[in-house]
Amino acid sequence: MNIIKFSGFGMQNFRLSVGLIVLLALSFLSGCESVSAPPAPSYLDTFSLGEITVSYAEVEQPLLVAELDAEISKSVSGDSALANLGTRFGAINRQPKQHALQQAISANIIPHVRDALTPLFRGTRAARAEVVVKSVFIRSRFGLQQLTGTRVFVNGEKRPDYPQLVAGLRLYDQETGLPLQEIRPITKVDDGTITIAGGGPKAPIYGPSGRLNKLAFEFARAAANALKRNAASEDFAIPASEGDVTTLWSSTTSN
């Protein structure tokens, strides 16, 4: 029987060789773990903001913007005082008045959305943004409903006493029509409880209704914040809560 003997020097070399192999293997595995695939480009890097539309297909009636009511009623009914009165109380011209109100609301919403969303898109392929209006209900401060406490219900839900705008946002590839992203309806209510002197950006004035202008501005900012925070997410629908965050103060430090 042959007996193989390792000398002290040979055994030491063998151990060193094995240790070196183990270290090389661990280094290779560690390198494999540290190398990650480059992040997939966001649709914000691919698209530019093209058309902006407003949809009322899912709106809860009635729409109301008290500050626009007199002007819209007059534009629909003409110079007749009787027709004007009948239009304002909803006895006549209901459909033309609703259509005119929708156009007035859209004219207020679209420029705010364009201001807020345009800087987010860094690509060249055109995307269409569709604002999906669910509710616009802005009573007169001195209307009969306010003075008497009259309640207005739609689908069993009481309409608010304070100005309300509820809307979502959908993004589409303008060329193919395929959906890119959706933000579920965000609710903006101006109850006047928080006022910060000199705090936050001011809304550009895009229409004669100051309260609608403010709510449209806040909705557009919330939608933009939701898109920025979820640009790399694989989830198609963004919860409304993701857009309903307001930063009152922040600071950054540098090394």
Side-chain angles (χ1 to χ4, degrees), residues 66-67 138-144 146-147 161 163 190 210-211:
E67 293 164 303
I138 303 177
R139 293 173 169 177
S140 169
R141 290 186 176 93
F142 307 104
L144 183 64
Q146 291 290 84
L147 297 176
D161 294 326
D190 181 14
R211 293 183 292 173

Side-chain angles (χ1 to χ4, degrees), residues 10-11 37 40 58 68 70 75 104 115 117 230-231:
M11 179 62 71
E58 302 175 26
L68 304 177
S75 68
D115 287 348
L117 266 58
N230 292 273

Side-chain angles (χ1 to χ4, degrees), residues 183 186 222-223 225-227 229-230 238-245:
I183 302 174
I186 297 170
N225 289 335
L227 290 179
R229 283 196 296 271
N230 292 273
I238 300 173
S241 59
E242 289 295 310
D244 242 352
V245 177

